[in-house]
Amino acid sequence: MTKQSYAVIGLGRFGTSIISKLYEAGQEVMGIDINNELVDDVKSSVTHAVVLDSTDEESLKSVGIRNFDYVIVAIGNDMQASILTVMLLKEIGVKQVIAKAINKRHGQLLEKVGADWVIHPERDMGERVAHQLLSPNVLNYIELSKEYNIEEIIIPPSMKKKSLRELDLRAKYNVNAIAILNNENLIISPSPDQIIQNGDKVVVIGHREDINEFANIK
Ligand code: ATP
């Protein structure tokens, strides 16, 4: 994996969980917070940890914030600080600014000041939980648009020991299998002769309603 540089501003639960995943993956990560105790706590799991107020333009410039590939603004409750920080980062010329919103209005304002990607963690997680409850066979999914998804689905018992050709998912369910997960092995673009084993998972792309129908086969 190519090494990228990330700065995470705000070391609450959201910011620190992003930091630990990125650092574990060998990436260059700077942790930033106004609170020096939080900065101390994170020191062992980042490349650099800095105490600064991200609403102060000079402080941001002093750590070379413009040179980071991604800057993640993980400030929540202080909406004003979050919006001002995103605005300054874009003015300084940071290419990719990712920001967390605590509500819809906050999200809209973050987009207005130039955030490249706005995340709504509580809303999105709530939606995922509901999706999982409605379709227990779906392990993971990505929304490509309002209508189309990619979903990872547990193969229904009736389909095991059959080849993809026999299953003919495209004709029968209007979904396309783009990968098969067999234990830890990921088979990308599986051949039509690929036999489905017990416990396999299939990654399909298609219309949400079609995938939903497929995911609920017994
Ligand atoms: P989480 O849900 O991720 O735990 P939260 O949504 O409750 O966090 P806050 O605690 O409000 O969010 O903010 C996250 C962090 O951002 C805090 O540790 C806070 O000190 C830091 N922070 C707030 N304002 C600034 C600022 N101006 N500069 C740097 N850090 C800041």
Side-chain angles (χ1 to χ4, degrees), residues 9-16 32-35 38 52-56 74-78 81-82 85 100 102 122:
I9 303 175
L11 303 175
R13 293 159 301 175
F14 185 71
T16 48
I32 295 172
D33 204 287
I34 201 167
N35 177 335
L38 294 176
L52 62 79
D53 177 354
S54 61
T55 63
D56 179 56
I75 301 171
N77 297 320
D78 190 345
S82 145
T85 300
K100 155 183 147 161
I102 55 167
E122 276 89 3

Side-chain angles (χ1 to χ4, degrees), residues 124 127-128 131 138-143 149-152:
D124 294 351
E127 285 176 3
R128 293 191 90 81
H131 193 95
V138 175
L139 300 173
N140 216 338
Y141 72 100
I142 300 170
E143 286 178 3
N149 278 10
I150 292 179
E151 307 201 8
E152 179 190 339

